[in-house]
Amino acid sequence: DGYIVIKIKDPDVWVPKHRHIWESKHGSIPSGHIIIFKDGNNRNFDIDNLLMISRAENVVMNHTGLNSCDAELKETAVNIAKLKIKISKSKKGLRRKVVE
């Protein structure tokens, strides 16, 4: 995938460097979440360039093209993805009520 991995324990425990940096600052990454690079540069390990998002948010961002926005707009793009997910869930809930 082109990610840098670092050895954190002997004999052979390796982790992606960006995940290690995130966890060192913010704690463990919950299941179903990933760390992305705001600027898209997977060599820029500045903590301010790392952002935790859910896999569902990542799917929406990839599907709608929001992943290709500029770094300064990435958090807004994530919020748009969150909103799209909530709207989708709300519509599904309304459909269930109509059917019942």
Side-chain angles (χ1 to χ4, degrees), residues 20-88:
H20 180 71
I21 291 170
W22 176 270
E23 289 179 332
S24 295
K25 174 82 173 175
H26 299 286
S28 64
I29 300 166
S31 177
H33 287 74
I34 62 172
I35 304 301
I36 63 169
F37 297 88
K38 289 181 187 177
D39 66 0
N41 177 1
N42 65 1
R43 299 293 190 260
N44 180 358
F45 299 105
D46 186 311
I47 191 69
D48 293 329
N49 189 46
L50 302 177
L51 183 63
M52 182 174 65
I53 65 173
S54 72
R55 291 190 184 278
E57 293 160 359
N58 192 49
V59 168
V60 170
M61 290 177 65
N62 284 330
H63 183 71
T64 59
L66 290 169
N67 254 347
S68 61
C69 71
D70 293 334
E72 58 270 4
L73 297 175
K74 194 66 75 165
E75 290 183 45
T76 301
V78 171
N79 286 331
I80 291 170
K82 287 178 181 180
L83 182 60
K84 287 181 173 285
I85 291 166
K86 285 191 183 260
I87 290 170
S88 177

